[in-house]
Amino acid sequence: MSEIDRQVALADAAERARLPDEARLAAWVGAVLAHHPEAADHELTVRFVDAEESQALNRDYRDRDRPTNVLSFPFENPPGLTLPLLGDLVICHAVVVREAGEQDKPLSAHYAHMVVHGTLHLLGHDHIEDDEAERMEALEVAILAELGFPDPYTASDPAPGAPSIEDTRPDA
């Protein structure tokens, strides 16, 4: 089983209370790693941040000067050294809360999607090319279904003005 370092960088206690706990994170990450048994004994960090920290990281590492839902930072072992580290996920609570509301989703479902999506990035999955995006999204949908969550890319009754499927793809 993977070890998760849960970090919270939010000042507001009410907002901290809305974050997924360690058991949920372990279940969500575990569901991803069940599809990647070679990474089952790896450690990762999940850090919950405010919009300012997310924007700074997104600007500094992706040249996008705005906060984003999830950023993935895969760990690269130095030459000659092997450590059981998968990497870091940085999740912006304010963006996830806003998106869940816009998409009319339960907050836990959107958090599960962000954790699954980000963990898949840590494992090397990507969505830059259309065929890669299709494979990654199909895997996300399957993993979320195993966890009891609906397909995050389809809405049975989207709210007026809700973002399109392309707009809901996580940025990680």
Side-chain angles (χ1 to χ4, degrees):
M1 181 63 186
S2 183
E3 184 178 322
I4 299 172
D5 177 18
R6 181 180 180 269
Q7 299 178 0
V8 178
L10 298 174
D12 187 289
E15 291 305 311
R16 286 194 313 266
R18 299 175 72 190
L19 298 173
D21 61 19
E22 289 181 23
R24 283 187 178 183
L25 292 174
W28 300 338
V29 169
V32 175
L33 296 180
H35 291 261
H36 293 81
E38 73 283 359
D41 292 326
H42 283 66
E43 300 172 23
L44 69 142
T45 296
V46 180
R47 181 174 172 82
F48 298 97
V49 301
D50 60 20
E52 292 78 15
E53 184 172 338
S54 175
Q55 182 168 348
L57 290 168
N58 202 22
R59 180 191 60 238
D60 294 350
Y61 290 95
R62 298 183 67 233
D63 293 323
R64 295 182 181 175
D65 195 12
R66 62 181 171 81
T68 189
N69 46 28
V70 60
L71 292 166
S72 300
F73 296 97
F75 178 75
E76 294 182 21
N77 278 304
L81 185 61
T82 302
L83 298 171
L85 303 174
L86 198 53
D88 300 338
L89 298 181
V90 178
I91 301 175
C92 181
H93 178 66
V95 172
V96 173
V97 168
R98 178 180 49 80
E99 289 177 346
E102 290 171 353
Q103 297 169 28
D104 197 27
K105 294 179 183 177
L107 185 57
S108 63
H110 199 42
Y111 260 121
H113 182 207
M114 295 303 97
V115 170
V116 167
H117 183 88
T119 304
L120 286 171
H121 274 303
L122 294 178
L123 292 163
H125 293 271
D126 213 331
H127 50 75
I128 295 171
E129 302 295 328
D130 287 342
D131 61 331
E132 294 172 335
E134 288 176 19
R135 283 192 301 273
M136 184 172 177
E137 289 174 11
L139 189 52
E140 288 174 52
V141 169
I143 292 167
L144 289 166
E146 291 168 8
L147 291 165
F149 293 107
D151 181 341
Y153 295 106
T154 60
S156 57
D157 188 23
S164 69
I165 290 172
E166 291 78 23
D167 293 336
T168 63
R169 182 177 293 149
D171 286 331

